[in-house]
């Protein structure tokens, strides 16, 4: 009881700083302020252009300089533009076809990498599958173009979808492979076969349902990869196939119009939705 | 069996077993390597119908791999596996009448309890009604009735273990393989589950092959124990055989603890052996069992700590049929009810011999360095082959 009076004084002590405390505080302040400024600068550089773009897609004026009032008219004209609608449809169709192909092939590749008995050159096999991730897309584009023209394959919807599936394959394989590895550790397929399931039944009833979140999240990544691909598409898209990124590029030739802003904003929203679904799926697999 | 409930009777009265003379399972000459490491170096044993056989050994001794070869998850490099007289060596796991309880349960997380237990029955395409009665039966057996609709991911470790057991039993295998099934449970729960598992095994009459590294568990549950060490079998026998008549110093030390001394057989006459311990102390005593080595050769001598009784100067010696050796008390450690005394028998070696006793009189500590007498009954001195390598 007697000690009580000392307690408040002790609490106060560190606040009285004197000269030493002041300089320390200042340097700490400088440190945090410096860090804050750096972060603000970086994030500003990252996201301010996007914010400006989204904002100006609602701007009444035709030029991107002054703000004259809020409007939806660019979105309206975008959605009434038949060419634009066709480009959007083409892009979506190609992205769906490419992501389905990439997911299916990714599943097979991941299964081989994790379930097949060790074979010679398995490391090389896995590395070669991941190579498109590192390869400059120009190389892919040129290579595919000369391949298609040499072999005599027509440059059409399907050749483009296949090319996109190829670029997206490392993403689906990686996502599914991680999941299959963790499933392998838990002996679930062994347990199913132990109870009488054939390898195929174990795959259908245990592996596939449990790998589904990883397959979907891989496919979503593949979808965004295909959706936004410009370089490869630019090289090998045949005549008459115009995807969204190509369309935006051609529109840009006439300057950054509010329609381009509106279009880019739509793509941004789509990407955010896809990434959010992907995140939640990844979280689900981990739990 | 007469008072067993109808459900277990139904479970136990599996298809009538053919009156085969051979064992239920026979493993012969199994060899298995992973890369360059030889995990199993020639293992053979058999399991009789309804027997509880334990594969016991320290981790990495090859017991789990042996189990996986029996289940069909791994293929042996050499050797054969016979199930009910049929060669199943190369058969895939789904064509073997054997089910496994996995160490980490391996329950299907996307199924509820009922669907987990029913999995094998649905694969067999049993009629729906029969599946329902069977699942109810086994869940009743493992005391989890009423949990059918629960998700397995929200159950405790003990409960998951019971579901894994129920799932393996639902298919009514003639042989159940259990891979350290209680390893992840805490001690108290483990003791409970040991008794329960043993009771279930007796009631159903299914043969169990049980893998564990816990010798107490093996002693408590098994009909016979197979002791593994470095991919080989050191000894096969009933728990009391393995404990009382260990064949090797590894077994002696692994089953309970033992003082392992090096010795040399220097004489054998009229049923009496003469042994030189640690090249120093000579003892002579009658020995009835066959000797592990020829005269003049080195051997191992194992004596269990609880079989050495210590007396002080002036105490009455143990009456008859024992050897008495003078020693110096090197250290005394009190572990609550048990007292451990370290005795120095030898002048040339610092090796001490441990004696463990529950006697209260040893608890009032004597000073280290006190001369004492150690009495060891003849039959408690185990003569073993010298340690390999």
């Amino acid at each position: 009881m007697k000690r009580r009076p000392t307690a408040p004084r002790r609490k106060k002590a560190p606040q009285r700083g004197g000269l030493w405390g002041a300089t320390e505080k200042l340097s700490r302040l400088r440190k945090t302020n410096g860090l804050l400024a750096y972060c603000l600068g970086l994030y500003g550089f990252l996201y301010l252009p996007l914010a400006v773009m989204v904002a100006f897609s609602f701007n009444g004026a035709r030029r991107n300089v002054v703000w004259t009032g809020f409007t939806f008219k660019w979105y309206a004209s975008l959605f009434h533009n038949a060419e634009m609608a066709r480009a959007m449809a083409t892009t979506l169709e190609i992205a769906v076809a490419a992501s389905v192909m990439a997911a299916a092939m990714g599943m097979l590749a991941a299964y081989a990498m994790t379930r097949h008995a060790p074979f010679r050159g398995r490391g090389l096999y896995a590395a070669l599958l991941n190579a498109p991730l590192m390869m400059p897309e120009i190389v892919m584009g040129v290579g595919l173009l000369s391949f298609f023209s040499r072999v005599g394959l027509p440059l059409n919807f399907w050749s483009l979808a296949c090319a996109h599936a190829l670029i997206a394959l490392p993403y689906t394989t990686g996502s599914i492979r991680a999941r299959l590895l963790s499933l392998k550790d838990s002996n679930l397929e062994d347990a199913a076969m132990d109870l009488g399931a054939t390898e195929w039944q174990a795959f259908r009833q245990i592996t596939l349902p449990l790998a589904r979140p990883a397959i979907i999240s891989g496919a979503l990544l593949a979808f965004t990869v295909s959706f936004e691909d410009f370089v490869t598409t630019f090289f090998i898209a045949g005549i008459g196939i115009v995807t969204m990124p190509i369309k935006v590029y051609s529109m840009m030739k006439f300057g950054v119009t509010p329609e381009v802003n509106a279009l880019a904003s739509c793509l941004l929203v789509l990407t955010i939705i896809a990434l959010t679904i992907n995140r939640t799926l990844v979280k689900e697999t981990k739990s | 069996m007469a008072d067993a409930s109808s459900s277990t009777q139904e479970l136990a009265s599996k298809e009538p077993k053919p009156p085969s003379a051979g064992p239920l399972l026979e493993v012969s000459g199994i060899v298995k390597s992973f890369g360059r490491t030889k995990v199993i170096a020639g293992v053979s044993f058999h399991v009789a119908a309804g027997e509880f056989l334990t594969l016991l050994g320290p981790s990495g001794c090859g017991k789990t791999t042996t189990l996986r070869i029996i289940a069909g998850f791994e293929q042996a490099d050499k050797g054969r596996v016979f199930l009910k007289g049929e060669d199943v060596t190369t058969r895939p796991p789904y064509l073997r009448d054997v089910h496994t309880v996995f160490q980490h349960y391996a329950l299907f997380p996307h199924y509820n309890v009922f669907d987990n237990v029913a999995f094998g029955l649905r694969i067999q395409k049993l009629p729906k009604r029969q599946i329902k009665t069977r699942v109810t039966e086994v869940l009743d057996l493992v005391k989890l009735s009423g949990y059918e609709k629960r998700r397995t991911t929200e159950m405790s470790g003990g409960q998951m273990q019971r579901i894994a057991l129920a799932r393996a039993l639902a298919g009514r295998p003639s042989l159940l393989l259990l891979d350290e099934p209680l390893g992840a449970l805490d001690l108290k729960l483990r003791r409970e589950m040991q008794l329960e598992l043993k009771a279930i095994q007796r009631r159903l009459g299914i043969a169990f092959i049980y893998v564990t590294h816990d010798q107490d568990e093996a002693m408590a549950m098994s009909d016979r124990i197979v002791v593994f060490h470095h991919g080989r079998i050191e000894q096969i026998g009933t728990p009391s055989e393995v404990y009382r008549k260990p064949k090797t110093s590894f077994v002696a030390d692994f089953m309970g603890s033992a003082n392992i001394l090096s010795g040399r057989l220097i004489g054998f006459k009229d049923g009496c052996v003469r042994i030189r311990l640690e090249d120093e102390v000579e003892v002579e005593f009658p020995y009835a069992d066959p000797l592990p080595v020829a005269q003049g050769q080195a051997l191992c001598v194992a004596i269990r700590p609880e079989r050495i009784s210590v007396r002080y100067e002036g105490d009455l010696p143990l009456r008859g049929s024992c050897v008495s050796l003078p020693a110096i008390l090197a250290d005394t450690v009190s572990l609550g009810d048990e007292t451990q005394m370290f005795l120095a028998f030898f002048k040339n070696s610092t090796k001490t011999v441990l004696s463990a006793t529950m006697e209260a009189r040893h608890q009032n500590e004597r000073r280290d360095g006190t001369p004492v007498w150690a009495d060891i009954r003849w039959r408690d001195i185990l003569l073993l082959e010298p340690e390999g390598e």
Side-chain angles (χ1 to χ4, degrees):
Chain A
M1 284 302 252
K2 271 180 190 168
R3 278 193 192 158
R4 217 171 236 179
T6 60
R9 208 173 31 174
R10 221 184 249 171
K11 235 182 195 174
K12 246 183 196 170
Q15 280 183 356
R16 279 182 320 185
L19 192 64
W20 170 249
T23 46
E24 197 187 23
K25 214 173 176 182
L26 196 69
S27 79
R28 204 185 307 147
L29 203 68
R30 226 182 248 155
K31 213 185 261 172
T32 46
N33 274 357
L35 203 59
L36 192 68
Y38 168 76
C39 286
L40 279 178
L42 182 69
Y43 278 84
F45 186 49
L46 266 176
Y47 289 107
L48 221 51
L50 292 181
V52 169
M53 179 194 80
V54 174
F56 274 96
S57 70
F58 295 108
N59 188 6
R62 188 138 247 311
R63 318 220 82 216
N64 256 344
V65 206
V66 275
W67 180 266
T68 56
F70 186 86
T71 179
F72 275 120
K73 70 177 175 196
W74 308 121
Y75 286 90
S77 80
L78 195 67
F79 290 126
H80 285 110
N81 186 336
E83 247 178 74
M84 200 63 84
R86 202 169 335 114
M88 189 56 139
T90 313
T91 316
L92 286 176
E93 280 163 22
I94 288 177
V96 167
S99 54
V100 168
M101 279 191 274
M105 289 190 292
M107 182 71 204
L108 294 177
Y111 197 80
M113 279 191 248
T114 55
R115 297 299 187 274
H116 198 286
F119 51 88
R120 261 180 96 103
R122 185 156 75 165
L124 188 70
Y125 168 75
L128 283 180
L129 209 65
N130 275 332
L133 268 185
M134 261 74 78
M135 206 156 351
E137 256 198 79
I138 289 220
V139 177
M140 288 288 281
V142 172
L144 280 170
L145 179 63
S146 61
F147 171 75
F148 282 141
S149 56
R150 278 282 161 80
V151 176
L153 282 174
L155 296 177
N156 59 14
F157 175 87
W158 286 108
S159 55
L160 188 58
C162 286
H164 280 190
L166 197 66
I167 302 170
L169 188 57
Y171 295 92
T172 53
T173 312
S175 159
I176 298 167
R177 181 168 172 263
R179 178 64 175 157
L180 288 188
L181 272 182
S182 76
L183 282 181
K184 191 185 190 183
D185 287 340
S186 51
N187 281 335
L188 294 176
E189 288 144 2
D190 280 352
M193 290 206 271
D194 186 71
L195 293 165
T198 60
E199 205 170 329
W200 173 245
Q201 284 171 318
F203 178 78
R204 277 292 309 280
Q205 296 185 33
I206 307 299
T207 319
L208 201 56
L210 289 174
R212 190 180 296 138
I215 297 171
I216 295 174
S217 101
L220 272 172
L221 276 178
F223 185 90
T224 50
V225 166
S226 160
F227 195 91
E228 68 188 14
D229 181 78
F230 177 76
V231 179
T232 311
T233 315
F234 191 70
F235 273 96
I236 61 169
I239 301 150
I241 297 183
V242 180
T243 65
M244 219 61 200
I246 303 257
K247 181 74 193 161
V248 173
Y249 177 73
S250 63
M251 282 163 75
M252 294 279 287
K253 284 179 186 161
F254 311 106
V256 183
T257 60
E259 278 108 336
V260 174
N261 282 338
L263 179 59
S265 305
C266 290
L267 298 188
L268 184 68
V269 170
L270 273 178
T271 314
I272 290 172
I273 291 172
L275 286 181
T276 315
I277 298 175
N278 182 33
R279 290 278 303 181
T280 43
L281 283 173
V282 169
K283 243 183 237 162
E284 195 179 300
T285 355
K286 275 189 185 142
S287 66
Chain B
M1 229 30 206
D3 59 353
S5 65
S6 63
S7 68
T8 48
Q9 243 175 18
E10 226 254 286
L11 262 169
S13 68
K14 233 188 103 53
E15 78 227 34
K17 285 189 191 90
S20 60
L24 177 66
L25 175 93
E26 192 171 352
V27 172
S28 102
I30 292 289
V31 175
K32 175 77 184 172
S33 305
F34 290 119
R36 278 196 207 137
T37 17
K38 199 169 225 184
V39 186
I40 305 172
V43 157
S44 306
F45 60 89
H46 68 87
V47 184
E51 189 182 24
F52 196 120
L53 185 84
T54 298
L55 309 186
L56 175 70
S59 55
C61 67
K63 54 195 192 311
T64 294
T65 309
T66 307
L67 202 72
R68 289 179 64 82
I69 286 171
I70 298 171
F73 302 134
E74 307 278 356
Q75 291 286 320
D77 301 336
K78 267 187 215 157
R80 310 224 72 88
V81 179
F82 299 93
L83 191 61
K84 294 179 189 162
E86 283 177 74
D87 187 343
V88 298
T89 314
T90 55
R91 235 187 245 180
Y94 48 87
L95 294 179
R96 300 185 184 202
D97 178 23
V98 167
H99 289 340
T100 308
V101 177
F102 291 86
Q103 185 172 11
H104 298 292
Y105 323 130
L107 297 177
F108 307 129
H110 56 313
Y111 289 161
N112 63 20
V113 172
F114 184 94
D115 293 336
N116 260 284
V117 178
F119 183 86
L121 309 176
R122 285 186 177 141
I123 292 280
Q124 285 177 34
K125 301 220 164 65
L126 291 189
K128 262 210 172 102
R129 185 177 292 168
Q130 203 180 343
I131 291 178
K132 192 157 172 24
T133 50
R134 282 245 209 135
V135 172
T136 315
E137 266 171 35
V138 284
L139 282 181
D140 195 39
L141 188 72
V142 300
K143 299 181 186 151
L144 276 180
S145 359
Y147 284 84
E148 284 87 348
K149 294 275 170 265
R150 289 278 206 99
R151 291 191 70 90
T152 55
T153 41
E154 58 200 31
M155 307 192 86
S156 71
Q159 288 173 325
M160 292 211 273
Q161 191 53 69
R162 285 160 192 269
I163 299 165
L165 182 66
R167 185 177 69 177
L169 287 172
R172 300 182 183 174
S174 46
L175 174 62
L176 197 70
L177 310 177
L178 301 101
D179 183 10
E180 308 224 10
L182 309 181
L185 305 180
D186 60 69
L187 191 68
K188 194 158 169 279
L189 199 55
R190 210 152 76 200
R191 294 266 175 270
E192 269 176 49
M193 282 297 286
Q194 280 172 17
L195 294 177
E196 234 182 285
L197 267 179
K198 182 71 194 160
I200 287 173
Q201 190 261 341
R202 285 231 183 92
R203 265 158 75 183
L204 302 184
I206 293 177
F208 275 29
I209 300 185
Y210 190 97
V211 162
T212 183
H213 62 264
D214 180 342
Q215 45 104 359
D216 290 336
E217 203 164 277
M219 295 289 284
M221 301 170 81
S222 326
D223 293 326
R224 280 189 310 147
I225 298 175
V226 180
V227 186
F228 272 70
H229 187 41
H230 288 323
R232 289 176 197 283
I233 293 178
E234 295 264 325
Q235 187 170 3
I236 304 180
T238 64
S240 74
E241 267 170 21
V242 174
Y243 182 77
R244 283 190 303 163
K245 294 255 172 267
K247 277 195 186 139
T248 65
S249 53
F250 173 79
V251 177
D253 198 30
F254 197 73
M255 305 301 298
S257 57
N259 295 292
I260 309 281
L261 302 171
S262 71
R264 190 171 289 280
L265 184 64
I266 54 173
F268 181 62
K269 209 168 72 185
D270 304 333
C272 261
V273 290
R274 193 167 175 80
I275 307 259
R276 198 174 165 84
L277 291 173
E278 300 284 328
D279 254 350
E280 199 177 324
V281 179
E282 282 184 19
V283 289
E284 195 179 86
F285 57 94
Y287 193 76
D289 290 323
L291 290 168
V293 295
Q295 192 159 328
Q297 285 188 317
L299 46 64
C300 266
V301 179
I303 307 163
R304 298 203 178 277
E306 64 273 20
R307 299 291 179 178
I308 301 176
S309 83
V310 172
R311 73 189 146 87
Y312 305 110
E313 214 66 47
D315 288 350
L316 281 175
L318 208 62
R319 289 175 66 87
S321 62
C322 71
V323 293
S324 296
L325 296 169
I328 304 289
L329 190 62
D331 198 5
T332 311
V333 177
S334 177
L335 302 173
D337 49 355
E338 191 190 85
T339 307
Q340 296 188 334
M341 283 173 283
F342 294 87
L343 310 172
F345 282 105
F346 314 108
K347 288 192 191 71
N348 303 335
S349 128
T350 54
K351 193 161 193 170
T352 57
V353 169
L354 174 66
S355 157
T357 175
M358 305 284 264
E359 275 183 80
R361 72 195 181 99
H362 292 294
Q363 277 178 6
N364 41 10
E365 286 175 39
R366 302 279 172 141
R367 254 201 324 185
D368 299 345
T370 312
V372 293
W373 287 89
D375 294 332
I376 309 158
R377 287 182 192 281
W378 298 331
R379 60 154 196 263
D380 292 330
I381 304 176
L382 307 166
L383 302 185
L384 311 168
E385 284 169 35
E387 269 174 285
E389 303 121 88

